[in-house]
Amino acid sequence: MAEKQRRKTIKIPLFFFLIYLIVSGFFLAMSTGGFVISFKDVGFAIVSTVQRGVHAVYSGVTTFFSSVAELSQLKKDYELLTEKLEDYKYLQRNNVEIRKENERLKELLDYTETLPYDYCTAQIIARDPNANYSGITINKGSRNGIGKGMPVIAIQNGNVGLVGKVISVGPYTSMILPIYDYQCNISAKIETTRDIGIVSGNGYTCDYLTMSYIKKRVMDEIQYGDVILTSGENDNYMKDIPIGTISSITALDYDTSLELQIIPVIDFNRLENVIVADFKNLAITD
């Protein structure tokens, strides 16, 4: 018990002594200027820190909404530019088509100026690709001087070729029997040898034409790529109009004739304009 009281008497003076040292050190620092607290500076530091935080938050919010507004405007600008680009592409396609059409018409005009007979230019407005009836309808008729049986030609990529003949005529439209129709038979000749045969259609634009009645004796004289022309016989077509070129030569064992496959000069799937010719010089007004 006495020992505990002794410990207490020692601890209490030690506690006050420590407080004294701390207070003395504080006042000593204050008096020497080594530790001077300016409440104004402290207040400024606190306020400026708060202001900086508020400014950062305000700037962040403002930047966010500005970014949203800019993004919305960019989206509108993008949609507008996309629309203009589509319009430009459409105009460009139209310009290309118009330019090609002008080139085709110029090619047609340049060729017709050299024709020694009357003619009428026309545009294809309908066609029937059926194998049983492969008619092509044009936008000119009897009012333009077109008559039944008149031959029809065309110029395509600088090449003149036979299209067919007129089989039906109305006041404002006419129908053409094309050379690829299975009912079409044309007296034709090989340009190199002048041998005459018959060119027949097979019913479809994508099929070859067939040339028959060419004697086997000329097999060594003809070759692939030789041009087949109209013979001008039977008074159905003008002479020397290209029909196509030889792509295959077949000698049949049971026949004395050759069978030739002919690629037409005219690509009928791309044919748009034709020339109806009056090679007998009957007047045609366009």
Side-chain angles (χ1 to χ4, degrees):
M1 188 72 176
E3 185 178 353
K4 290 181 179 181
Q5 288 181 354
R6 204 168 35 248
R7 288 179 183 175
K8 287 182 181 181
T9 55
I10 293 173
K11 287 181 180 180
I12 291 175
L14 181 59
F15 173 74
F16 285 111
F17 177 72
L18 291 174
I19 291 176
Y20 174 76
L21 287 177
I22 291 170
V23 172
S24 299
F26 175 77
F27 281 108
L28 179 62
M30 291 284 291
S31 61
T32 57
F35 183 71
V36 179
I37 298 177
S38 174
F39 290 100
K40 181 178 180 180
D41 292 341
V42 172
F44 174 75
I46 294 173
V47 172
S48 62
T49 302
V50 173
Q51 287 177 337
R52 182 177 179 182
V54 172
H55 176 72
V57 173
Y58 175 78
S59 297
V61 173
T62 304
T63 303
F64 172 77
F65 284 105
S66 297
S67 299
V68 171
E70 289 177 2
L71 183 61
S72 177
Q73 185 61 41
L74 286 174
K75 183 179 179 181
K76 291 180 180 178
D77 293 342
Y78 172 77
E79 292 175 352
L80 182 61
L81 289 174
T82 302
E83 185 177 352
K84 288 183 177 180
L85 181 60
E86 290 300 322
D87 292 340
Y88 172 75
K89 289 181 179 178
Y90 174 76
L91 291 174
Q92 190 177 38
R93 285 194 298 269
N94 282 351
N95 288 336
V96 171
E97 291 174 2
I98 291 172
R99 187 163 57 251
K100 288 182 179 179
E101 179 67 17
N102 289 338
E103 290 174 356
R104 285 194 296 267
L105 294 176
K106 183 179 183 302
E107 185 179 49
L108 187 65
L109 178 62
D110 291 342
Y111 174 71
T112 54
E113 288 179 348
T114 65
L115 292 178
Y117 38 77
D118 292 333
Y119 63 89
C120 176
T121 60
Q123 183 178 4
I124 295 174
I125 57 175
R127 66 187 80 200
D128 185 357
N130 192 299
N132 295 324
Y133 191 70
S134 307
I136 296 175
T137 305
I138 57 175
N139 65 344
K140 298 291 178 66
S142 60
R143 292 293 181 91
N144 305 100
I146 294 178
K148 187 176 179 180
M150 288 184 176
V152 182
I153 59 177
I155 180 167
Q156 193 176 66
N157 300 323
N159 299 315
V160 178
L162 186 65
V163 174
K165 66 179 179 179
V166 177
I167 57 171
S168 179
V169 181
Y172 303 103
T173 59
S174 301
M175 182 166 288
I176 300 169
L177 179 71
I179 60 175
Y180 59 80
D181 190 282
Y182 77 97
Q183 301 177 80
C184 188
N185 297 292
I186 307 164
S187 176
K189 61 187 176 185
I190 303 172
E191 184 180 35
T192 54
T193 67
R194 316 308 286 182
D195 286 276
I196 294 177
I198 299 296
V199 172
S200 305
N202 294 306
Y204 294 97
T205 59
C206 58
D207 281 352
Y208 297 105
L209 306 176
T210 301
M211 189 172 187
S212 307
Y213 306 110
I214 300 296
K215 298 300 181 180
K216 287 184 177 179
R217 60 179 171 76
V218 302
M219 186 169 182
D220 294 334
E221 302 176 39
I222 60 177
Q223 57 186 349
Y224 301 138
D226 283 350
V227 178
I228 306 301
L229 307 171
T230 55
S231 68
E233 295 184 356
N234 302 323
D235 209 26
N236 290 325
Y237 298 95
M238 310 83 76
K239 63 184 299 186
D240 296 331
I241 299 297
I243 299 174
T245 56
I246 298 175
S247 63
S248 175
I249 303 171
T250 304
L252 303 176
D253 295 335
Y254 54 85
D255 199 338
T256 60
S257 300
L258 298 174
E259 184 176 283
L260 310 181
Q261 283 189 345
I262 310 299
I263 299 176
V265 172
I266 298 299
D267 183 351
F268 286 88
N269 291 321
R270 296 184 177 183
L271 185 62
E272 297 181 23
N273 301 96
V274 298
I275 303 168
V276 181
D278 181 10
F279 68 105
K280 298 177 183 179
N281 293 322
L282 296 176
I284 296 182
T285 56
D286 201 345

